[in-house]
PDB file of all heavy atoms in Angstrom:
ATOM      1  N   LEU A1442     168.243  63.224 153.195  1.00  0.00           N
ATOM      2  CA  LEU A1442     168.646  64.171 154.110  1.00  0.00           C
ATOM      3  C   LEU A1442     169.752  63.641 155.130  1.00  0.00           C
ATOM      4  O   LEU A1442     169.544  62.489 155.590  1.00  0.00           O
ATOM      5  CB  LEU A1442     167.498  64.754 154.949  1.00  0.00           C
ATOM      6  CG  LEU A1442     166.508  65.650 154.230  1.00  0.00           C
ATOM      7  CD1 LEU A1442     165.402  66.026 155.244  1.00  0.00           C
ATOM      8  CD2 LEU A1442     167.158  66.987 153.815  1.00  0.00           C
ATOM      9  N   GLU A1443     170.686  64.398 155.423  1.00  0.00           N
ATOM     10  CA  GLU A1443     171.649  63.996 156.462  1.00  0.00           C
ATOM     11  C   GLU A1443     171.007  64.265 157.809  1.00  0.00           C
ATOM     12  O   GLU A1443     170.039  65.043 157.871  1.00  0.00           O
ATOM     13  CB  GLU A1443     172.945  64.830 156.283  1.00  0.00           C
ATOM     14  CG  GLU A1443     173.614  64.600 154.975  1.00  0.00           C
ATOM     15  CD  GLU A1443     174.222  63.266 154.803  1.00  0.00           C
ATOM     16  OE1 GLU A1443     174.511  62.573 155.799  1.00  0.00           O
ATOM     17  OE2 GLU A1443     174.426  62.837 153.640  1.00  0.00           O
ATOM     18  N   LEU A1444     171.515  63.591 158.840  1.00  0.00           N
ATOM     19  CA  LEU A1444     170.980  63.767 160.171  1.00  0.00           C
ATOM     20  C   LEU A1444     171.002  65.231 160.587  1.00  0.00           C
ATOM     21  O   LEU A1444     169.995  65.778 161.183  1.00  0.00           O
ATOM     22  CB  LEU A1444     171.742  62.908 161.167  1.00  0.00           C
ATOM     23  CG  LEU A1444     171.319  63.117 162.683  1.00  0.00           C
ATOM     24  CD1 LEU A1444     169.872  62.726 162.822  1.00  0.00           C
ATOM     25  CD2 LEU A1444     172.204  62.222 163.510  1.00  0.00           C
ATOM     26  N   LYS A1445     172.120  65.966 160.310  1.00  0.00           N
ATOM     27  CA  LYS A1445     172.168  67.368 160.662  1.00  0.00           C
ATOM     28  C   LYS A1445     171.139  68.202 159.995  1.00  0.00           C
ATOM     29  O   LYS A1445     170.545  69.083 160.614  1.00  0.00           O
ATOM     30  CB  LYS A1445     173.585  67.932 160.344  1.00  0.00           C
ATOM     31  CG  LYS A1445     173.799  69.345 160.767  1.00  0.00           C
ATOM     32  CD  LYS A1445     175.183  69.798 160.402  1.00  0.00           C
ATOM     33  CE  LYS A1445     175.445  71.199 160.854  1.00  0.00           C
ATOM     34  NZ  LYS A1445     176.839  71.653 160.550  1.00  0.00           N
ATOM     35  N   GLN A1446     170.756  67.907 158.669  1.00  0.00           N
ATOM     36  CA  GLN A1446     169.737  68.610 158.050  1.00  0.00           C
ATOM     37  C   GLN A1446     168.403  68.342 158.609  1.00  0.00           C
ATOM     38  O   GLN A1446     167.570  69.316 158.759  1.00  0.00           O
ATOM     39  CB  GLN A1446     169.778  68.198 156.578  1.00  0.00           C
ATOM     40  CG  GLN A1446     170.989  68.630 155.799  1.00  0.00           C
ATOM     41  CD  GLN A1446     170.959  68.027 154.376  1.00  0.00           C
ATOM     42  OE1 GLN A1446     170.913  66.866 154.124  1.00  0.00           O
ATOM     43  NE2 GLN A1446     171.099  68.929 153.352  1.00  0.00           N
ATOM     44  N   VAL A1447     168.055  67.130 159.007  1.00  0.00           N
ATOM     45  CA  VAL A1447     166.813  66.825 159.625  1.00  0.00           C
ATOM     46  C   VAL A1447     166.727  67.585 160.946  1.00  0.00           C
ATOM     47  O   VAL A1447     165.690  68.202 161.219  1.00  0.00           O
ATOM     48  CB  VAL A1447     166.739  65.296 159.843  1.00  0.00           C
ATOM     49  CG1 VAL A1447     165.387  65.017 160.659  1.00  0.00           C
ATOM     50  CG2 VAL A1447     166.676  64.553 158.601  1.00  0.00           C
ATOM     51  N   GLN A1448     167.803  67.574 161.732  1.00  0.00           N
ATOM     52  CA  GLN A1448     167.750  68.218 163.026  1.00  0.00           C
ATOM     53  C   GLN A1448     167.553  69.791 162.875  1.00  0.00           C
ATOM     54  O   GLN A1448     166.744  70.390 163.634  1.00  0.00           O
ATOM     55  CB  GLN A1448     169.006  67.993 163.827  1.00  0.00           C
ATOM     56  CG  GLN A1448     169.140  66.515 164.269  1.00  0.00           C
ATOM     57  CD  GLN A1448     170.438  66.221 164.885  1.00  0.00           C
ATOM     58  OE1 GLN A1448     171.530  66.847 164.536  1.00  0.00           O
ATOM     59  NE2 GLN A1448     170.533  65.259 165.803  1.00  0.00           N
ATOM     60  N   GLU A1449     168.134  70.311 161.879  1.00  0.00           N
ATOM     61  CA  GLU A1449     168.043  71.773 161.581  1.00  0.00           C
ATOM     62  C   GLU A1449     166.541  72.086 161.259  1.00  0.00           C
ATOM     63  O   GLU A1449     165.982  73.090 161.689  1.00  0.00           O
ATOM     64  CB  GLU A1449     168.958  72.225 160.444  1.00  0.00           C
ATOM     65  CG  GLU A1449     170.370  72.278 160.892  1.00  0.00           C
ATOM     66  CD  GLU A1449     171.340  72.558 159.734  1.00  0.00           C
ATOM     67  OE1 GLU A1449     170.862  72.522 158.573  1.00  0.00           O
ATOM     68  OE2 GLU A1449     172.544  72.817 159.986  1.00  0.00           O
ATOM     69  N   LYS A1450     165.971  71.243 160.371  1.00  0.00           N
ATOM     70  CA  LYS A1450     164.600  71.483 159.971  1.00  0.00           C
ATOM     71  C   LYS A1450     163.603  71.266 161.039  1.00  0.00           C
ATOM     72  O   LYS A1450     162.569  71.984 161.224  1.00  0.00           O
ATOM     73  CB  LYS A1450     164.227  70.630 158.740  1.00  0.00           C
ATOM     74  CG  LYS A1450     165.063  70.998 157.524  1.00  0.00           C
ATOM     75  CD  LYS A1450     164.876  72.418 157.104  1.00  0.00           C
ATOM     76  CE  LYS A1450     165.663  72.769 155.881  1.00  0.00           C
ATOM     77  NZ  LYS A1450     165.569  74.197 155.551  1.00  0.00           N
ATOM     78  N   LEU A1451     163.898  70.296 161.976  1.00  0.00           N
ATOM     79  CA  LEU A1451     162.974  70.098 163.127  1.00  0.00           C
ATOM     80  C   LEU A1451     163.081  71.325 164.070  1.00  0.00           C
ATOM     81  O   LEU A1451     162.043  71.688 164.646  1.00  0.00           O
ATOM     82  CB  LEU A1451     163.459  68.814 163.938  1.00  0.00           C
ATOM     83  CG  LEU A1451     163.191  67.510 163.205  1.00  0.00           C
ATOM     84  CD1 LEU A1451     163.759  66.299 164.050  1.00  0.00           C
ATOM     85  CD2 LEU A1451     161.684  67.306 162.989  1.00  0.00           C
ATOM     86  N   HIS A1452     164.297  71.906 164.176  1.00  0.00           N
ATOM     87  CA  HIS A1452     164.454  73.030 165.008  1.00  0.00           C
ATOM     88  C   HIS A1452     163.625  74.208 164.408  1.00  0.00           C
ATOM     89  O   HIS A1452     162.944  74.997 165.138  1.00  0.00           O
ATOM     90  CB  HIS A1452     165.898  73.439 165.041  1.00  0.00           C
ATOM     91  CG  HIS A1452     166.187  74.582 165.964  1.00  0.00           C
ATOM     92  ND1 HIS A1452     166.193  74.521 167.310  1.00  0.00           N
ATOM     93  CD2 HIS A1452     166.458  75.917 165.631  1.00  0.00           C
ATOM     94  CE1 HIS A1452     166.517  75.763 167.823  1.00  0.00           C
ATOM     95  NE2 HIS A1452     166.654  76.597 166.836  1.00  0.00           N
ATOM     96  N   PHE A1453     163.629  74.379 163.123  1.00  0.00           N
ATOM     97  CA  PHE A1453     162.878  75.387 162.375  1.00  0.00           C
ATOM     98  C   PHE A1453     161.360  75.159 162.588  1.00  0.00           C
ATOM     99  O   PHE A1453     160.638  76.103 162.860  1.00  0.00           O
ATOM    100  CB  PHE A1453     163.273  75.380 160.873  1.00  0.00           C
ATOM    101  CG  PHE A1453     162.573  76.521 160.120  1.00  0.00           C
ATOM    102  CD1 PHE A1453     163.019  77.765 160.291  1.00  0.00           C
ATOM    103  CD2 PHE A1453     161.589  76.243 159.201  1.00  0.00           C
ATOM    104  CE1 PHE A1453     162.435  78.798 159.500  1.00  0.00           C
ATOM    105  CE2 PHE A1453     160.972  77.188 158.499  1.00  0.00           C
ATOM    106  CZ  PHE A1453     161.422  78.467 158.636  1.00  0.00           C
ATOM    107  N   ASN A1454     160.983  73.960 162.522  1.00  0.00           N
ATOM    108  CA  ASN A1454     159.571  73.588 162.737  1.00  0.00           C
ATOM    109  C   ASN A1454     159.137  74.072 164.190  1.00  0.00           C
ATOM    110  O   ASN A1454     158.085  74.704 164.332  1.00  0.00           O
ATOM    111  CB  ASN A1454     159.299  72.114 162.701  1.00  0.00           C
ATOM    112  CG  ASN A1454     159.171  71.589 161.285  1.00  0.00           C
ATOM    113  OD1 ASN A1454     159.094  72.395 160.318  1.00  0.00           O
ATOM    114  ND2 ASN A1454     159.127  70.293 161.086  1.00  0.00           N
ATOM    115  N   LYS A1455     160.014  73.671 165.119  1.00  0.00           N
ATOM    116  CA  LYS A1455     159.595  73.947 166.539  1.00  0.00           C
ATOM    117  C   LYS A1455     159.616  75.430 166.855  1.00  0.00           C
ATOM    118  O   LYS A1455     158.717  75.866 167.608  1.00  0.00           O
ATOM    119  CB  LYS A1455     160.671  73.256 167.433  1.00  0.00           C
ATOM    120  CG  LYS A1455     160.462  73.437 168.885  1.00  0.00           C
ATOM    121  CD  LYS A1455     161.540  72.687 169.756  1.00  0.00           C
ATOM    122  CE  LYS A1455     161.346  72.898 171.250  1.00  0.00           C
ATOM    123  NZ  LYS A1455     162.406  72.117 172.007  1.00  0.00           N
ATOM    124  N   ASN A1456     160.528  76.236 166.281  1.00  0.00           N
ATOM    125  CA  ASN A1456     160.692  77.600 166.653  1.00  0.00           C
ATOM    126  C   ASN A1456     159.992  78.612 165.773  1.00  0.00           C
ATOM    127  O   ASN A1456     159.715  79.702 166.157  1.00  0.00           O
ATOM    128  CB  ASN A1456     162.181  77.957 166.763  1.00  0.00           C
ATOM    129  CG  ASN A1456     162.886  77.315 167.895  1.00  0.00           C
ATOM    130  OD1 ASN A1456     162.772  77.686 169.037  1.00  0.00           O
ATOM    131  ND2 ASN A1456     163.579  76.179 167.671  1.00  0.00           N
ATOM    132  N   LYS A1457     159.654  78.211 164.572  1.00  0.00           N
ATOM    133  CA  LYS A1457     159.057  79.098 163.545  1.00  0.00           C
ATOM    134  C   LYS A1457     157.648  78.584 163.127  1.00  0.00           C
ATOM    135  O   LYS A1457     156.635  79.333 163.275  1.00  0.00           O
ATOM    136  CB  LYS A1457     159.939  79.279 162.370  1.00  0.00           C
ATOM    137  CG  LYS A1457     161.309  79.940 162.615  1.00  0.00           C
ATOM    138  CD  LYS A1457     161.121  81.369 163.058  1.00  0.00           C
ATOM    139  CE  LYS A1457     162.519  82.049 163.224  1.00  0.00           C
ATOM    140  NZ  LYS A1457     162.342  83.504 163.584  1.00  0.00           N
ATOM    141  N   ILE A1458     157.559  77.465 162.537  1.00  0.00           N
ATOM    142  CA  ILE A1458     156.372  76.985 161.876  1.00  0.00           C
ATOM    143  C   ILE A1458     155.249  76.644 162.843  1.00  0.00           C
ATOM    144  O   ILE A1458     154.187  77.195 162.696  1.00  0.00           O
ATOM    145  CB  ILE A1458     156.726  75.829 160.980  1.00  0.00           C
ATOM    146  CG1 ILE A1458     157.614  76.199 159.864  1.00  0.00           C
ATOM    147  CG2 ILE A1458     155.397  75.134 160.437  1.00  0.00           C
ATOM    148  CD1 ILE A1458     158.054  75.082 158.892  1.00  0.00           C
ATOM    149  N   ILE A1459     155.585  75.877 163.833  1.00  0.00           N
ATOM    150  CA  ILE A1459     154.519  75.469 164.779  1.00  0.00           C
ATOM    151  C   ILE A1459     153.964  76.675 165.539  1.00  0.00           C
ATOM    152  O   ILE A1459     152.747  76.796 165.673  1.00  0.00           O
ATOM    153  CB  ILE A1459     155.048  74.316 165.733  1.00  0.00           C
ATOM    154  CG1 ILE A1459     155.346  73.133 164.929  1.00  0.00           C
ATOM    155  CG2 ILE A1459     154.023  74.099 166.850  1.00  0.00           C
ATOM    156  CD1 ILE A1459     156.078  72.002 165.719  1.00  0.00           C
ATOM    157  N   PRO A1460     154.744  77.604 166.054  1.00  0.00           N
ATOM    158  CA  PRO A1460     154.231  78.787 166.727  1.00  0.00           C
ATOM    159  C   PRO A1460     153.319  79.606 165.820  1.00  0.00           C
ATOM    160  O   PRO A1460     152.257  80.113 166.201  1.00  0.00           O
ATOM    161  CB  PRO A1460     155.449  79.565 167.128  1.00  0.00           C
ATOM    162  CG  PRO A1460     156.487  78.520 167.299  1.00  0.00           C
ATOM    163  CD  PRO A1460     156.260  77.579 166.185  1.00  0.00           C
ATOM    164  N   ALA A1461     153.738  79.692 164.506  1.00  0.00           N
ATOM    165  CA  ALA A1461     152.940  80.525 163.536  1.00  0.00           C
ATOM    166  C   ALA A1461     151.616  79.888 163.311  1.00  0.00           C
ATOM    167  O   ALA A1461     150.571  80.529 163.216  1.00  0.00           O
ATOM    168  CB  ALA A1461     153.706  80.680 162.255  1.00  0.00           C
ATOM    169  N   LEU A1462     151.600  78.557 163.244  1.00  0.00           N
ATOM    170  CA  LEU A1462     150.322  77.809 162.982  1.00  0.00           C
ATOM    171  C   LEU A1462     149.425  77.907 164.200  1.00  0.00           C
ATOM    172  O   LEU A1462     148.186  78.050 164.102  1.00  0.00           O
ATOM    173  CB  LEU A1462     150.628  76.350 162.676  1.00  0.00           C
ATOM    174  CG  LEU A1462     151.337  76.109 161.295  1.00  0.00           C
ATOM    175  CD1 LEU A1462     151.670  74.672 161.161  1.00  0.00           C
ATOM    176  CD2 LEU A1462     150.358  76.569 160.164  1.00  0.00           C
ATOM    177  N   ARG A1463     150.004  77.781 165.387  1.00  0.00           N
ATOM    178  CA  ARG A1463     149.172  77.845 166.597  1.00  0.00           C
ATOM    179  C   ARG A1463     148.631  79.287 166.758  1.00  0.00           C
ATOM    180  O   ARG A1463     147.428  79.440 167.232  1.00  0.00           O
ATOM    181  CB  ARG A1463     150.017  77.449 167.825  1.00  0.00           C
ATOM    182  CG  ARG A1463     150.463  76.011 167.790  1.00  0.00           C
ATOM    183  CD  ARG A1463     150.754  75.526 169.165  1.00  0.00           C
ATOM    184  NE  ARG A1463     151.301  74.148 169.199  1.00  0.00           N
ATOM    185  CZ  ARG A1463     150.590  73.051 168.987  1.00  0.00           C
ATOM    186  NH1 ARG A1463     149.286  73.149 168.758  1.00  0.00           N
ATOM    187  NH2 ARG A1463     151.127  71.875 168.987  1.00  0.00           N
ATOM    188  N   ASN A1464     149.442  80.259 166.434  1.00  0.00           N
ATOM    189  CA  ASN A1464     148.943  81.687 166.526  1.00  0.00           C
ATOM    190  C   ASN A1464     147.788  81.914 165.561  1.00  0.00           C
ATOM    191  O   ASN A1464     146.955  82.766 165.790  1.00  0.00           O
ATOM    192  CB  ASN A1464     150.074  82.646 166.182  1.00  0.00           C
ATOM    193  CG  ASN A1464     149.746  84.039 166.338  1.00  0.00           C
ATOM    194  OD1 ASN A1464     149.296  84.549 167.466  1.00  0.00           O
ATOM    195  ND2 ASN A1464     149.803  84.836 165.269  1.00  0.00           N
ATOM    196  N   ALA A1465     147.735  81.129 164.447  1.00  0.00           N
ATOM    197  CA  ALA A1465     146.706  81.303 163.445  1.00  0.00           C
ATOM    198  C   ALA A1465     145.568  80.289 163.755  1.00  0.00           C
ATOM    199  O   ALA A1465     144.665  80.169 162.938  1.00  0.00           O
ATOM    200  CB  ALA A1465     147.229  81.080 162.052  1.00  0.00           C
ATOM    201  N   SER A1466     145.585  79.659 164.918  1.00  0.00           N
ATOM    202  CA  SER A1466     144.592  78.699 165.318  1.00  0.00           C
ATOM    203  C   SER A1466     144.503  77.435 164.438  1.00  0.00           C
ATOM    204  O   SER A1466     143.498  76.864 164.315  1.00  0.00           O
ATOM    205  CB  SER A1466     143.181  79.360 165.410  1.00  0.00           C
ATOM    206  OG  SER A1466     143.243  80.449 166.278  1.00  0.00           O
ATOM    207  N   GLU A1467     145.597  77.147 163.773  1.00  0.00           N
ATOM    208  CA  GLU A1467     145.706  75.981 162.910  1.00  0.00           C
ATOM    209  C   GLU A1467     146.326  74.774 163.801  1.00  0.00           C
ATOM    210  O   GLU A1467     147.359  74.291 163.484  1.00  0.00           O
ATOM    211  CB  GLU A1467     146.555  76.231 161.705  1.00  0.00           C
ATOM    212  CG  GLU A1467     145.960  77.203 160.714  1.00  0.00           C
ATOM    213  CD  GLU A1467     144.738  76.722 160.006  1.00  0.00           C
ATOM    214  OE1 GLU A1467     144.542  75.513 160.030  1.00  0.00           O
ATOM    215  OE2 GLU A1467     144.073  77.479 159.330  1.00  0.00           O
ATOM    216  N   THR A1468     145.564  74.464 164.870  1.00  0.00           N
ATOM    217  CA  THR A1468     146.073  73.550 165.882  1.00  0.00           C
ATOM    218  C   THR A1468     146.279  72.137 165.331  1.00  0.00           C
ATOM    219  O   THR A1468     147.374  71.523 165.631  1.00  0.00           O
ATOM    220  CB  THR A1468     145.095  73.421 167.030  1.00  0.00           C
ATOM    221  OG1 THR A1468     144.822  74.813 167.481  1.00  0.00           O
ATOM    222  CG2 THR A1468     145.685  72.619 168.162  1.00  0.00           C
ATOM    223  N   GLU A1469     145.338  71.610 164.515  1.00  0.00           N
ATOM    224  CA  GLU A1469     145.508  70.283 163.993  1.00  0.00           C
ATOM    225  C   GLU A1469     146.749  70.122 163.155  1.00  0.00           C
ATOM    226  O   GLU A1469     147.527  69.111 163.218  1.00  0.00           O
ATOM    227  CB  GLU A1469     144.278  69.932 163.155  1.00  0.00           C
ATOM    228  CG  GLU A1469     144.265  68.447 162.677  1.00  0.00           C
ATOM    229  CD  GLU A1469     142.989  68.135 161.900  1.00  0.00           C
ATOM    230  OE1 GLU A1469     142.037  68.913 161.979  1.00  0.00           O
ATOM    231  OE2 GLU A1469     143.001  67.050 161.211  1.00  0.00           O
ATOM    232  N   LEU A1470     147.028  71.088 162.273  1.00  0.00           N
ATOM    233  CA  LEU A1470     148.202  71.020 161.385  1.00  0.00           C
ATOM    234  C   LEU A1470     149.500  71.152 162.241  1.00  0.00           C
ATOM    235  O   LEU A1470     150.447  70.516 162.022  1.00  0.00           O
ATOM    236  CB  LEU A1470     148.110  72.153 160.364  1.00  0.00           C
ATOM    237  CG  LEU A1470     149.359  72.139 159.352  1.00  0.00           C
ATOM    238  CD1 LEU A1470     149.531  70.812 158.670  1.00  0.00           C
ATOM    239  CD2 LEU A1470     149.040  73.272 158.270  1.00  0.00           C
ATOM    240  N   ALA A1471     149.401  72.065 163.265  1.00  0.00           N
ATOM    241  CA  ALA A1471     150.592  72.345 164.083  1.00  0.00           C
ATOM    242  C   ALA A1471     150.923  71.034 164.890  1.00  0.00           C
ATOM    243  O   ALA A1471     152.122  70.619 164.965  1.00  0.00           O
ATOM    244  CB  ALA A1471     150.334  73.408 165.133  1.00  0.00           C
ATOM    245  N   ASP A1472     149.916  70.267 165.331  1.00  0.00           N
ATOM    246  CA  ASP A1472     150.123  69.042 166.071  1.00  0.00           C
ATOM    247  C   ASP A1472     150.728  68.009 165.145  1.00  0.00           C
ATOM    248  O   ASP A1472     151.610  67.205 165.601  1.00  0.00           O
ATOM    249  CB  ASP A1472     148.838  68.531 166.664  1.00  0.00           C
ATOM    250  CG  ASP A1472     148.263  69.361 167.827  1.00  0.00           C
ATOM    251  OD1 ASP A1472     149.076  70.163 168.355  1.00  0.00           O
ATOM    252  OD2 ASP A1472     147.083  69.240 168.156  1.00  0.00           O
ATOM    253  N   LYS A1473     150.289  67.946 163.959  1.00  0.00           N
ATOM    254  CA  LYS A1473     150.752  66.956 162.958  1.00  0.00           C
ATOM    255  C   LYS A1473     152.262  67.244 162.614  1.00  0.00           C
ATOM    256  O   LYS A1473     152.992  66.257 162.721  1.00  0.00           O
ATOM    257  CB  LYS A1473     149.988  67.136 161.654  1.00  0.00           C
ATOM    258  CG  LYS A1473     150.391  66.163 160.563  1.00  0.00           C
ATOM    259  CD  LYS A1473     149.510  66.463 159.304  1.00  0.00           C
ATOM    260  CE  LYS A1473     150.015  65.524 158.156  1.00  0.00           C
ATOM    261  NZ  LYS A1473     149.139  65.707 156.904  1.00  0.00           N
ATOM    262  N   ILE A1474     152.593  68.478 162.451  1.00  0.00           N
ATOM    263  CA  ILE A1474     154.020  68.756 162.116  1.00  0.00           C
ATOM    264  C   ILE A1474     154.861  68.614 163.380  1.00  0.00           C
ATOM    265  O   ILE A1474     156.033  68.145 163.235  1.00  0.00           O
ATOM    266  CB  ILE A1474     154.133  70.254 161.598  1.00  0.00           C
ATOM    267  CG1 ILE A1474     153.430  70.331 160.190  1.00  0.00           C
ATOM    268  CG2 ILE A1474     155.546  70.673 161.542  1.00  0.00           C
ATOM    269  CD1 ILE A1474     153.397  71.736 159.646  1.00  0.00           C
ATOM    270  N   GLU A1475     154.303  68.846 164.505  1.00  0.00           N
ATOM    271  CA  GLU A1475     155.148  68.670 165.770  1.00  0.00           C
ATOM    272  C   GLU A1475     155.609  67.146 165.949  1.00  0.00           C
ATOM    273  O   GLU A1475     156.619  66.936 166.580  1.00  0.00           O
ATOM    274  CB  GLU A1475     154.263  69.102 166.958  1.00  0.00           C
ATOM    275  CG  GLU A1475     155.069  69.246 168.283  1.00  0.00           C
ATOM    276  CD  GLU A1475     154.263  69.906 169.345  1.00  0.00           C
ATOM    277  OE1 GLU A1475     153.041  69.697 169.391  1.00  0.00           O
ATOM    278  OE2 GLU A1475     154.844  70.630 170.137  1.00  0.00           O
ATOM    279  N   GLN A1476     154.806  66.257 165.413  1.00  0.00           N
ATOM    280  CA  GLN A1476     155.149  64.787 165.553  1.00  0.00           C
ATOM    281  C   GLN A1476     156.121  64.357 164.389  1.00  0.00           C
ATOM    282  O   GLN A1476     156.539  63.184 164.496  1.00  0.00           O
ATOM    283  CB  GLN A1476     153.914  64.000 165.630  1.00  0.00           C
ATOM    284  CG  GLN A1476     153.006  64.278 166.782  1.00  0.00           C
ATOM    285  CD  GLN A1476     153.708  64.110 168.095  1.00  0.00           C
ATOM    286  OE1 GLN A1476     154.320  63.085 168.337  1.00  0.00           O
ATOM    287  NE2 GLN A1476     153.513  65.098 168.947  1.00  0.00           N
ATOM    288  N   CYS A1477     156.383  65.189 163.503  1.00  0.00           N
ATOM    289  CA  CYS A1477     157.116  64.736 162.338  1.00  0.00           C
ATOM    290  C   CYS A1477     158.567  64.457 162.646  1.00  0.00           C
ATOM    291  O   CYS A1477     159.257  65.281 163.303  1.00  0.00           O
ATOM    292  CB  CYS A1477     157.023  65.829 161.202  1.00  0.00           C
ATOM    293  SG  CYS A1477     157.963  65.420 159.652  1.00  0.00           S
ATOM    294  N   GLY A1478     159.063  63.360 162.157  1.00  0.00           N
ATOM    295  CA  GLY A1478     160.467  62.941 162.291  1.00  0.00           C
ATOM    296  C   GLY A1478     161.050  62.890 163.684  1.00  0.00           C
ATOM    297  O   GLY A1478     162.309  63.100 163.775  1.00  0.00           O
ATOM    298  N   LYS A1479     160.260  62.622 164.648  1.00  0.00           N
ATOM    299  CA  LYS A1479     160.810  62.613 166.029  1.00  0.00           C
ATOM    300  C   LYS A1479     161.793  61.471 166.203  1.00  0.00           C
ATOM    301  O   LYS A1479     162.714  61.608 167.008  1.00  0.00           O
ATOM    302  CB  LYS A1479     159.602  62.392 167.038  1.00  0.00           C
ATOM    303  CG  LYS A1479     159.021  63.740 167.407  1.00  0.00           C
ATOM    304  CD  LYS A1479     158.164  63.589 168.692  1.00  0.00           C
ATOM    305  CE  LYS A1479     157.821  65.024 169.243  1.00  0.00           C
ATOM    306  NZ  LYS A1479     157.125  64.915 170.524  1.00  0.00           N
ATOM    307  N   TYR A1480     161.625  60.351 165.572  1.00  0.00           N
ATOM    308  CA  TYR A1480     162.498  59.269 165.823  1.00  0.00           C
ATOM    309  C   TYR A1480     163.258  58.861 164.503  1.00  0.00           C
ATOM    310  O   TYR A1480     162.731  58.960 163.396  1.00  0.00           O
ATOM    311  CB  TYR A1480     161.678  57.979 166.282  1.00  0.00           C
ATOM    312  CG  TYR A1480     161.158  58.148 167.610  1.00  0.00           C
ATOM    313  CD1 TYR A1480     159.862  58.669 167.818  1.00  0.00           C
ATOM    314  CD2 TYR A1480     161.809  57.749 168.706  1.00  0.00           C
ATOM    315  CE1 TYR A1480     159.269  58.809 169.049  1.00  0.00           C
ATOM    316  CE2 TYR A1480     161.359  57.863 169.997  1.00  0.00           C
ATOM    317  CZ  TYR A1480     160.024  58.452 170.130  1.00  0.00           C
ATOM    318  OH  TYR A1480     159.528  58.601 171.411  1.00  0.00           O
TER     319      TYR A1480
END
């Protein structure tokens, strides 16, 4: 992945995937994905 692609997917995680998981009470999985690729 190029850096831009990683950043785009991290943005998608933050704005779409993680909220959907938290709304479904899938907190553990949401926390795991939230830490993905930070550095």
Side-chain angles (χ1 to χ4, degrees):
L1442 287 176
E1443 301 293 336
L1444 176 59
K1445 183 177 181 180
Q1446 292 175 305
V1447 176
Q1448 291 173 331
E1449 288 174 348
K1450 294 303 178 183
L1451 288 177
H1452 183 77
F1453 185 71
N1454 280 353
K1455 181 179 179 180
N1456 291 282
K1457 296 291 184 179
I1458 294 176
I1459 294 171
L1462 291 173
R1463 295 202 185 284
N1464 184 59
S1466 301
E1467 295 288 348
T1468 306
E1469 183 177 349
L1470 181 56
D1472 290 344
K1473 178 181 178 180
I1474 293 176
E1475 192 170 33
Q1476 297 304 313
C1477 180
K1479 275 199 167 183
Y1480 292 90

